[in-house]
Amino acid sequence: RIIRHRWEGEKYNHASGNFTQWSEWLKDALILNGIYAHVFDTITPRPSVDIEPRAYANWGLNDRLAITFIKTALDDMEHCDLMTDKGAARCYADLKTRAQ
């Protein structure tokens, strides 16, 4: 997958308190890039490596792409301790928790 729409919105910074608006912009950008499901559709399971090895690999690449896209939409200070090792949905959930 290729990112066709780069992040051009305001980067999220906890101090600015703009998480709700930023999140809406993020959702739109993820939809435009075809990676929304990796962050917000948590019922879409990762394919089985044994049954669908190519789909498994593609899913993993797209999930990492979604994480990287989220990171491009963050202020540099928000990268500190960001949960990126458990998938894009958990990465976003971590940000949301930190914003509250």
Side-chain angles (χ1 to χ4, degrees), residues 9 22 53 60 72 78 85 96:
W22 174 85
T72 68
E78 297 301 324
D85 61 338
K96 186 174 181 179

Side-chain angles (χ1 to χ4, degrees), residues 5-93:
H5 302 278
R6 297 165 70 175
W7 181 260
E8 295 181 5
E10 181 180 337
K11 293 193 177 217
Y12 173 68
N13 179 315
H14 182 75
S16 69
N18 67 344
F19 185 81
T20 301
Q21 182 62 56
W22 174 85
S23 184
E24 290 302 314
W25 292 333
L26 178 69
K27 289 176 184 178
D28 291 343
L30 292 170
I31 289 168
L32 289 170
N33 284 300
I35 51 179
Y36 175 89
H38 288 272
V39 180
F40 295 103
D41 183 6
T42 57
I43 61 169
T44 303
R46 185 177 196 148
S48 167
V49 68
D50 297 323
I51 298 171
E52 300 178 284
R54 183 173 289 156
Y56 176 86
N58 286 337
W59 192 97
L61 288 171
N62 287 333
D63 196 64
R64 286 188 295 280
L65 182 62
I67 291 169
T68 302
F69 190 86
I70 290 170
K71 289 172 68 177
T72 68
L74 297 174
D75 183 83
D76 289 343
M77 294 301 294
E78 297 301 324
H79 289 228
C80 183
D81 297 324
L82 182 65
M83 183 184 297
T84 60
D85 61 338
K86 305 227 186 275
R90 291 286 299 274
C91 178
Y92 175 81

